Amino acid sequence: MLIRLLSFLLCSGALSIFAQTTRPNIVFIMTDDHARAAVSAYDTTLIHTPNIDRIGREGMIFRNACVTNSICGPSRAVLLTGKYSHINGFRDNRSRFDGAQQTFPKILRANGYYTAMIGKWHLATEPTGFDYWNVLIGQGEYYNPDLIEMGDTVRIEGYATDVVTDIAIETLEKRRPRNQPFCLFVHQKAPHRNWMPDAKHFSLFDDRELPLPPTLFDDYAGRSRAASEQDMRIDDMWLGHDMKLFLREPAEETGTGGKKSWTPMGIEANLKRMTEAQRQAWEAYYRPITEAFYRDKPEGRALSIWKYQRYLKDYLRCVASVDDNVGRLLDYLEKTGQLDNTIIVYTSDQGFFLGEHGWYDKRFMYEPSLTIPLVMRFPPKIPAGTVSDALALNLDFASTFLDVAGITPPADMQGQSLVPLMRTGKAKGWRKSMYYHYYEYPYGWHDVKKHYGLRTQRYKLIHFYNDIDAWELYDLKRDPGETENRYGQRKYRRLTKKLKRELLRLQMQYRDTEAMARP
Ligand code: CA
């Protein structure tokens, strides 16, 4: 009887209609500058993130996920288009995203998905391809953020990470039509600079000092000038804007903060938008820190360590809010019976330096900024506890979500669907090397020289160019901290030749003709 019913359904086409109405939902949570080292699924040294970990534990964790250009806007453009920066046109943060081009949300929408984009957008032009969008202006504010809802600017009282999650849940609850599957982007500002935590997390880590990374006092020996000439040292962070001190006079805002021509007006500018209660809570926590600083006057190495602790504790407190809010979203989906028919992805637009090499920020092709946390939960395809060491890229998201929705990705998308990796974490013929290209120099922030390169499971080859012509080669197995540049060493010559051939092959494959034209 059952077989007869099934064959009737198949012949009548009713099953395909059934399949269509149960197409999976997509919830894509992306934060800004969240390093793997600050997710306990990857590393338990710094912080406990139970909710993000849950996605990986009940689904899969990618241990080798990378971005193709480690900076905010470009990463977002790659996500939307599934194309490298030189193809989608958004090379650095001066760019403006061409919203007329093909993006995967547009394709999903044309195929019956309800699409919504909430939170940080940062692509200079208005979002396209979404039924509903409500985005932070530029980098966004941590407190009482201004958002542009479909063209209208509204200020919403509250902490940005909570506010964005509130709008996301409200969108699922009230806006989306029940007869359509949905694709929801939840893009947080956190934990982007200048790391202003929510009051409820102020005292987190007050009872302990965080461990110092082994390369906090790196001297960059053996590496190219690119490593020593950057402007992203924690030592140069601003005392007001970054360290949250109440300065006695603006002249105390010393250091470069990553851009010599721009000096913020301390932390006061950020506090102006707070409510009276928010401001009081802020002062109650940060005034005593300010007083202690002026009393103790740390200098030299002690000042470096003090800055590292100040920076990282606020960073991690912002991550704590992110994790709380991932939990709220998971709870909502679970409570409404949508958890298991939704692919939930948690990732970041790139990694971040948490003191490695003495740095904050990103941009470099070194591991802390190249790699991203990436966990996915999707019971229909992913068995709980799956681990993948495959080189997955942010370039792959567009093809992956189309594939999950049953749509064949267009041939001009340059990524690969991650779906074949979902069952076991492995897939035959998966890429053995990934290609990277960073552009934002000499303009912009942090003075990281232009470079491209490739990474395999074990090695990394980088070419810095423009006002420099220097190569670096790392053996990640022997030197995971990337302090021993092997380029030019006799015993690495054959390997270098092989990697350069592979680099050229990748540049041809991805049609990076500008890079190919370089020696
Ligand atoms: Ca970012």
Side-chain angles (χ1 to χ4, degrees):
M1 181 64 194
L2 186 67
I3 291 167
R4 237 188 250 171
L5 179 68
L6 270 174
S7 60
F8 165 75
L9 286 169
L10 273 170
C11 294
S12 65
L15 205 62
S16 67
I17 294 165
F18 173 75
Q20 206 168 8
T21 53
T22 56
R23 284 181 298 171
N25 303 308
I26 298 163
V27 172
F28 184 77
I29 311 168
M30 186 164 79
T31 44
D32 197 331
D33 298 355
H34 192 178
R36 284 195 316 196
V39 178
S40 46
Y42 290 89
D43 190 334
T44 53
T45 313
L46 295 175
I47 192 172
H48 184 47
T49 51
N51 295 299
I52 299 171
D53 293 4
R54 179 187 169 191
I55 299 175
R57 195 177 58 246
E58 295 177 4
M60 75 189 291
I61 175 164
F62 287 87
R63 296 196 296 202
N64 259 320
C66 300
V67 292
T68 57
N69 182 359
S70 180
I71 182 168
C72 186
S75 170
R76 287 152 206 271
V78 169
L79 155 75
L80 289 167
T81 60
K83 294 172 183 171
Y84 269 90
S85 307
H86 59 274
I87 304 285
N88 71 45
F90 202 105
R91 287 178 171 77
D92 55 51
N93 277 343
R94 294 188 312 179
S95 310
R96 289 172 64 78
F97 185 66
D98 169 16
Q101 66 184 303
Q102 168 187 281
T103 63
F104 84 85
K106 284 186 187 173
I107 300 172
L108 286 177
R109 196 176 178 208
N111 282 274
Y113 268 73
Y114 174 79
T115 56
M117 159 71 220
I118 320 292
K120 185 166 175 182
W121 176 248
H122 203 228
L123 285 168
T125 51
E126 281 192 349
T128 55
F130 297 98
D131 289 291
Y132 176 75
W133 53 271
N134 196 342
V135 298
L136 295 164
I137 297 175
Q139 294 284 9
E141 292 282 346
Y142 274 110
Y143 278 82
N144 311 327
D146 293 313
L147 291 114
I148 311 175
E149 183 188 28
M150 311 283 286
D152 295 325
T153 304
V154 195
R155 180 170 295 193
I156 301 181
E157 194 178 309
Y159 187 68
T161 313
D162 298 338
V163 167
V164 166
T165 309
D166 288 344
I167 300 170
I169 292 173
E170 189 184 283
T171 299
L172 295 186
E173 188 68 15
K174 297 184 185 154
R175 292 189 185 93
R176 84 167 165 108
R178 297 283 147 177
N179 59 351
Q180 279 178 275
F182 62 81
C183 170
L184 174 72
F185 284 16
V186 186
H187 289 192
Q188 298 290 3
K189 174 210 171 55
H192 190 278
R193 196 181 188 181
N194 60 340
W195 317 290
M196 295 175 69
D198 188 2
K200 73 170 104 154
H201 295 303
F202 280 162
S203 58
L204 198 62
F205 310 109
D206 265 357
D207 56 347
R208 67 175 176 123
E209 292 301 280
L210 300 167
L212 307 183
T215 56
L216 184 63
F217 297 99
D218 199 345
D219 61 4
Y220 315 115
R223 275 150 282 167
S224 72
R225 284 192 290 117
S228 50
E229 291 180 3
Q230 42 58 43
D231 184 13
M232 46 192 270
R233 293 182 56 80
I234 293 172
D235 280 352
D236 293 322
M237 280 181 162
W238 284 304
L239 284 175
H241 181 74
D242 296 319
M243 303 282 103
K244 327 283 168 25
L245 296 188
F246 291 91
L247 302 178
R248 290 170 303 192
E249 48 183 302
E252 287 176 339
E253 191 69 302
T254 54
T256 65
K259 196 172 189 180
K260 295 172 188 87
S261 60
W262 189 77
T263 304
M265 296 298 290
I267 189 69
E268 292 292 336
N270 297 104
L271 305 190
K272 274 193 186 123
R273 57 191 303 117
M274 286 186 172
T275 64
E276 195 47 43
Q278 289 166 343
R279 170 109 196 186
Q280 274 177 17
W282 186 273
E283 298 237 0
Y285 185 75
Y286 288 97
R287 283 277 177 204
I289 289 175
T290 304
E291 284 157 22
F293 178 80
Y294 285 122
R295 189 186 60 228
D296 302 341
K297 296 192 186 69
E299 281 176 14
R301 196 180 165 92
L303 178 60
S304 297
I305 293 171
W306 179 86
K307 281 191 163 183
Y308 164 79
Q309 296 288 344
R310 270 290 38 255
Y311 152 53
L312 200 56
K313 286 183 181 183
D314 280 349
Y315 176 97
L316 294 173
R317 289 161 182 157
C318 293
V319 170
S321 282
V322 165
D323 191 67
D324 290 350
N325 279 288
V326 168
R328 283 178 64 210
L329 258 175
L330 291 175
D331 286 349
Y332 172 78
L333 292 168
E334 195 159 29
K335 220 172 53 201
T336 51
Q338 302 176 90
L339 191 61
D340 289 347
N341 189 37
T342 300
I343 176 167
I344 300 162
V345 178
Y346 182 88
T347 192
S348 170
D349 65 343
Q350 5 71 207
F352 213 65
F353 292 98
L354 305 182
E356 300 93 343
H357 311 292
W359 297 337
Y360 62 106
D361 214 70
K362 52 256 183 183
R363 301 160 196 272
F364 276 109
M365 204 192 157
Y366 301 134
E367 289 294 276
S369 63
L370 173 71
T371 59
I372 44 172
L374 176 59
V375 288
M376 293 183 184
R377 186 188 187 283
F378 188 43
K381 285 203 187 288
I382 304 174
T386 307
V387 173
S388 181
D389 287 323
L391 285 166
L393 303 178
N394 61 338
L395 186 72
D396 300 328
F397 289 137
S399 300
T400 303
F401 293 129
L402 293 178
D403 195 0
V404 162
I407 301 159
T408 307
D412 64 347
M413 282 188 175
Q414 296 180 306
Q416 286 170 249
S417 166
L418 299 170
V419 170
L421 294 167
M422 286 180 177
R423 221 171 57 80
T424 63
K426 292 185 180 140
K428 232 178 155 186
W430 193 257
R431 70 167 70 84
K432 302 263 191 304
S433 60
M434 63 80 57
Y435 180 62
Y436 182 88
H437 198 159
Y438 170 82
Y439 300 85
E440 193 172 287
Y441 183 84
Y443 42 85
W445 290 70
H446 299 293
D447 295 355
V448 175
K449 295 184 193 299
K450 289 178 194 279
H451 59 290
Y452 55 75
L454 94 165
R455 181 189 184 282
T456 67
Q457 291 285 349
R458 177 162 178 184
Y459 299 103
K460 185 184 292 179
L461 180 71
I462 313 175
H463 184 210
F464 293 96
Y465 68 94
N466 186 237
D467 61 351
I468 186 175
D469 178 10
W471 292 81
E472 293 181 7
L473 171 66
Y474 295 98
D475 180 343
L476 301 171
K477 194 171 159 196
R478 291 195 178 160
D479 173 31
E482 296 167 298
T483 56
E484 295 165 35
N485 177 15
R486 322 251 172 183
Y487 188 82
Q489 291 180 11
R490 183 185 288 270
K491 84 184 226 223
Y492 287 90
R493 279 195 194 144
R494 263 176 84 172
L495 172 72
T496 303
K497 246 183 166 169
K498 204 174 122 195
L499 291 175
K500 280 191 175 176
R501 270 202 306 273
E502 176 64 3
L503 181 64
L504 188 63
R505 188 192 69 77
L506 290 173
Q507 288 171 335
M508 284 163 70
Q509 177 187 338
Y510 296 121
R511 289 180 287 127
D512 192 355
T513 46
E514 286 165 60
M516 284 162 64
R518 303 192 168 274

